[in-house]
Amino acid sequence: MQVLEVKNLTKAFGGIKAVTDINLEVNEGQIAGIIGPNGAGKTTFFNLLTGIYTPTSGNIKYNLNTTVEGKKLKPNKISSYGISRTFQNIRLFKEMTVLENVLIGYHHNFKYSVASAFLRLSSFAKGENEALNEALKLLKVFNLLDKKDELAQNLPYGEQRKLEIARAMASNPRLLLLDEPAAGMNPQETNDLTELIRWIRDEFKLTIILIEHDMSLVMDLCENIFVFDYGQLIASGSPKEVQNNPQVIKAYLGA
């Protein structure tokens, strides 16, 4: 089953096309990678998938739900389709605790009404307790439970990355988008992250797409790779196929 289908996706800023006629598919359960030089349009593509940018043209279909040319979908609507993401630059609420950051990820799952929250009705208390229990479970999975009361800004860099992924997981996604998750990590942290991503996919039955410059991680982890250059998809295939593609070597891997 296809979790994501993109057809002729284009984004222009004025007269400049940041993404041009992208066509790709990602199947359920895959770990797919997006690689390419800086400025190739990779993060713009993620921003289109998550509603930060509106497509100039083209279609995006998530789990059989489609956004069409020029249609603006709010990020919370896309989240309701089961899409969640992290960012290239860590975007935590750094003056909030580790636990509070994860609880924010559960916000759109809350079933109680504004009136219930204002009046502190039983439905509000039940929803809060459920969110708390689920957040604690996630922190345990990510080995952050003992840090739950620490401010996010006090965590080491690698643990801040893990916390951002944990917060993304709190929305119960089917498709998880990771934008350079290994950026700034040392080799041991990268190895641990590789195993964590693979475990998350298997344990939570997720599909994962990641943007990454660490080729050892990409080639070890990803089953299918899409290569961007100057806003265009120039190649796709297995790690071996991509590594041996002359156009990819010229545009990116050879550098």
Side-chain angles (χ1 to χ4, degrees):
M1 175 182 173
Q2 291 174 0
V3 172
L4 177 70
E5 181 183 53
V6 175
K7 290 187 176 180
N8 305 117
L9 187 65
T10 296
K11 178 61 181 178
F13 297 96
I16 299 174
K17 288 185 177 180
V19 168
T20 305
D21 290 328
I22 299 296
N23 292 278
L24 60 81
E25 299 171 356
V26 178
N27 293 326
E28 187 175 26
Q30 277 190 331
I31 300 178
I34 297 177
I35 66 172
N38 290 328
K42 303 182 299 296
T43 294
T44 298
F45 179 67
F46 265 23
N47 288 341
L48 289 167
L49 296 184
T50 53
I52 294 174
Y53 295 154
T54 302
T56 302
S57 61
N59 294 336
I60 307 170
K61 183 180 289 186
Y62 333 76
N63 302 314
L64 306 180
N65 297 289
T66 305
T67 175
V68 297
E69 178 179 339
K71 182 179 179 181
K72 174 66 174 176
L73 281 183
K74 293 182 179 180
N76 66 315
K77 178 65 173 178
I78 292 173
S79 180
S80 73
Y81 291 158
I83 316 299
S84 190
R85 74 170 292 182
T86 65
F87 290 85
Q88 183 177 350
N89 299 312
I90 296 174
R91 297 189 184 182
L92 295 172
F93 296 96
K94 294 192 174 183
E95 295 186 359
M96 298 175 69
T97 68
V98 168
L99 176 59
E100 288 168 340
N101 268 274
V102 176
L103 284 171
I104 286 172
Y106 281 102
H107 178 74
H108 87 278
N109 289 326
F110 289 166
K111 305 301 182 184
Y112 54 78
S113 65
V114 174
S116 295
F118 181 76
L119 297 172
R120 295 295 193 270
L121 300 180
S122 59
S123 57
F124 167 77
K126 181 180 179 181
E128 289 288 305
N129 286 333
E130 288 177 354
L132 177 61
N133 290 333
E134 292 302 315
L136 292 174
K137 288 179 185 177
L138 265 183
L139 290 178
K140 185 176 181 179
V141 165
F142 283 86
N143 292 319
L144 292 171
L145 186 58
D146 60 333
K147 308 286 182 66
K148 65 182 178 67
D149 296 321
E150 290 191 26
L151 295 181
Q153 65 186 2
N154 293 336
L155 294 182
Y157 183 86
E159 291 189 342
Q160 288 190 28
R161 280 283 181 195
K162 288 170 64 176
L163 176 57
E164 191 178 34
I165 296 174
R167 186 180 62 187
M169 290 293 300
S171 65
N172 194 30
R174 294 180 62 188
L175 173 61
L176 178 63
L177 309 177
L178 304 176
D179 195 348
E180 297 195 29
M185 290 188 171
N186 62 43
Q188 183 57 54
E189 288 172 333
T190 299
N191 288 337
D192 292 344
L193 177 69
T194 301
E195 294 306 313
L196 178 64
I197 292 172
R198 188 177 285 118
W199 183 87
I200 288 171
R201 187 272 304 272
D202 295 340
E203 181 70 15
F204 294 93
K205 304 298 186 290
L206 287 180
T207 304
I208 297 173
I209 307 175
L210 58 91
I211 295 171
E212 188 53 66
H213 287 289
D214 188 320
M215 287 301 97
S216 61
L217 181 150
V218 171
M219 298 303 171
D220 178 40
L221 188 60
C222 296
E223 297 144 349
N224 196 29
I225 299 172
F226 302 99
V227 188
F228 282 42
D229 191 32
Y230 292 106
Q232 296 182 316
L233 179 63
I234 63 169
S236 64
S238 68
K240 184 176 180 179
E241 290 170 334
V242 166
Q243 284 177 309
N244 294 323
N245 185 305
Q247 192 175 5
V248 176
I249 294 170
K250 181 179 179 181
Y252 185 54
L253 295 182

